[in-house]
Amino acid sequence: MKKKRLTSQDWIDAAIKQLIKSGVDAVRVEPLAEEIGVSRGSFYWHFKSRRELLIAILEDWRQRQTRTIVERIRRDGSLSPIERVVRLRMLPPRTKTTSAAATFELAIRAWAMRDKFASKIVNEVDSERLAFGTALLAGAGMSDEEAGHWALIGYAYTLGESLLRDALSDQQIHESRTRFLMAQARN
């Protein structure tokens, strides 16, 4: 039986699991190689250094948890501007995927609290997310100023909800999101 050739994504995925489990300091080449069951040489086939892997983790996070969502919402031409806002704010509250995404988000933010480069990327992503939220709200008819305020409030709510995920029921999440959207619509 022939072994599957590892890809750089395999290494990134293993590193993300380690980041989530034990933090960025635990994302090391040797333990990852042992975890995957390969030699360190396999790592250097895909990455020049640990730093390059860490950058790849941040870019993977940016792509999965920002750009993919933005593109999915933009691409759906059947949605009106207000439906795009609702789609963004009503992402599923509790699935295996959303739970993993929330855990990944928290691990990245914990890392960014200690590392200037990670912090820079997190700030860029926050700016991208806020700009997208602002554009959606402005497209739905809000002034740019109001759209900016409500985008920030909505984003802060979304991040806060992910921190409280285990303390909230799906019903609480749905009701809170609905009330938020109704308050936003009144303004």
Side-chain angles (χ1 to χ4, degrees):
M1 184 177 195
K2 198 173 188 180
K3 273 190 171 181
K4 175 188 162 216
R5 174 171 264 166
L6 291 180
T7 66
S8 57
Q9 191 62 52
D10 293 323
W11 281 97
I12 293 167
D13 292 342
I16 289 168
K17 286 179 188 169
Q18 193 61 35
L19 172 71
I20 290 168
K21 179 180 172 189
S22 302
V24 70
D25 292 338
V27 178
R28 300 271 177 218
V29 177
E30 189 71 36
L32 286 174
E34 287 177 24
E35 177 77 23
I36 297 171
V38 297
S39 70
R40 287 176 40 169
S42 171
F43 173 82
Y44 292 105
W45 180 260
H46 299 288
F47 300 97
K48 291 179 180 134
S49 65
R50 175 180 180 263
R51 178 163 174 76
E52 192 174 287
L53 173 64
L54 295 177
I55 291 168
I57 292 169
L58 290 165
E59 287 307 315
D60 185 270
W61 168 70
R62 181 194 315 248
Q63 184 62 40
R64 282 190 210 192
Q65 296 196 194
T66 302
R67 292 183 177 160
T68 299
I69 294 166
V70 167
E71 285 310 309
R72 190 178 316 135
I73 292 171
R74 281 188 178 143
R75 200 174 44 238
D76 191 342
S78 68
L79 297 176
S80 70
I82 198 68
E83 288 170 327
R84 290 174 197 266
V85 172
V86 171
R87 172 76 52 91
L88 179 64
R89 293 291 169 236
M90 298 300 273
L91 291 170
R94 206 179 321 270
T95 66
K96 186 176 179 183
T97 302
T98 57
S99 180
T103 304
F104 189 19
E105 183 83 22
L106 295 175
I108 291 288
R109 289 182 179 280
W111 172 14
M113 290 172 65
R114 302 178 34 219
D115 181 272
K116 285 183 182 181
F117 183 75
S119 179
K120 176 184 174 290
I121 299 300
V122 167
N123 288 336
E124 288 173 9
V125 168
D126 287 341
S127 293
E128 283 181 50
R129 291 173 177 176
L130 286 167
F132 180 64
T134 300
L136 286 180
L137 291 165
M142 279 189 183
S143 71
D144 289 343
E145 183 179 0
E146 278 298 300
H149 290 301
W150 280 102
L152 176 58
I153 293 166
Y155 185 50
Y157 171 82
T158 300
L159 289 175
E161 183 186 284
S162 71
L163 291 172
L164 298 170
R165 181 167 304 282
D166 293 336
L168 302 173
S169 69
D170 286 347
Q171 182 178 348
Q172 287 173 306
I173 291 170
H174 180 75
E175 287 175 5
S176 294
R177 288 177 179 187
T178 300
R179 287 175 186 255
F180 173 77
L181 284 167
M182 288 171 35
Q184 185 177 286
R186 285 192 294 269
N187 287 299

